[in-house]
Amino acid sequence: RERERERERRGEMADTGGESSGPSKVPEVTGLQTEVVTKRKRTMSYAAYIYKVLKQVHPDIGISQKAMSIVNSMIMDIFERIACEAGRLVRYNKGGVLTSREIQTAVRLLLPGELAKHAVSEGMKAVCKYNASGRGGDGQQNDKNEDDDEDDEDDDE
């Protein structure tokens, strides 16, 4: 009891509203007693998406948990490689923003032949669908400004 009061006085409990030293443990008040409940850390997984795609392609085939884990690891690895390569491309080109163009170039660099072509076409289709939905910027404003800059350069000559 004394230790708990001392911790509260120093602000080490999660009740302070800020971040505590132990983010995985949260005190839960039940009646007069205080229990410490540990929260599970969320892990990123593509299992639901893998399963949906599998059912689209082969509705009658299932996948074991071990196979799902292997495919999930492969996707996470490819994602990390593409993200790192795209980040490098942004730095090399001294651009401050990671765009679909860097992602596309990274995919072309990392994936072999026909697989890269299919990935690029699917990516372009997804970006077009997103832009058409009205949630994404359609990029027309930036293209228009670039065209105006080129016209200005022609006028200077």
Side-chain angles (χ1 to χ4, degrees):
R1 246 345 196 182
E2 195 67 16
R3 286 182 187 164
E4 286 178 18
R5 286 188 191 131
E6 184 63 27
R7 283 187 194 145
E8 282 182 42
R9 192 178 60 78
R10 283 188 277 163
E12 291 181 2
M13 293 297 284
D15 292 340
T16 58
E19 295 176 14
S20 64
S21 59
S24 63
K25 294 187 178 185
V26 178
E28 186 177 286
V29 178
T30 55
L32 298 175
Q33 298 177 345
T34 303
E35 296 178 15
V36 177
V37 179
T38 57
K39 286 187 176 181
R40 282 191 197 167
K41 186 178 178 187
R42 285 189 167 187
T43 56
M44 180 61 197
S45 175
Y46 295 100
Y49 310 107
I50 295 166
Y51 190 77
K52 285 179 184 177
V53 171
L54 175 66
K55 289 302 169 187
Q56 284 177 352
V57 179
H58 295 287
D60 54 336
I61 295 178
I63 186 168
S64 69
Q65 201 168 9
K66 191 168 186 177
M68 180 66 81
S69 174
I70 291 167
V71 174
N72 188 52
S73 296
M74 183 192 74
I75 291 173
M76 290 179 100
D77 181 53
I78 293 293
F79 177 82
E80 187 177 345
R81 288 184 194 188
I82 290 171
C84 289
E85 187 64 36
R88 265 187 238 118
L89 287 167
V90 169
R91 269 183 302 195
Y92 292 158
N93 295 326
K94 294 185 173 70
V97 180
L98 179 66
T99 64
S100 59
R101 185 176 180 188
E102 283 82 19
I103 300 293
Q104 187 179 66
T105 307
V107 166
R108 283 193 172 135
L109 289 169
L110 291 171
L111 299 180
E114 202 66 24
L115 189 59
K117 288 178 186 174
H118 285 290
V120 166
S121 68
E122 289 295 319
M124 286 175 58
K125 193 164 61 171
V127 169
C128 289
K129 185 177 177 183
Y130 179 75
N131 288 338
S133 72
R135 287 183 283 178
D138 53 358
Q140 291 177 356
Q141 184 67 29
N142 292 339
D143 293 340
K144 187 177 178 185
N145 289 341
E146 289 173 7
D147 292 341
D148 290 344
D149 293 342
E150 289 172 7
D151 292 341
D152 292 342
E153 290 172 8
D154 292 340
D155 293 339
D156 293 340
E157 292 175 4

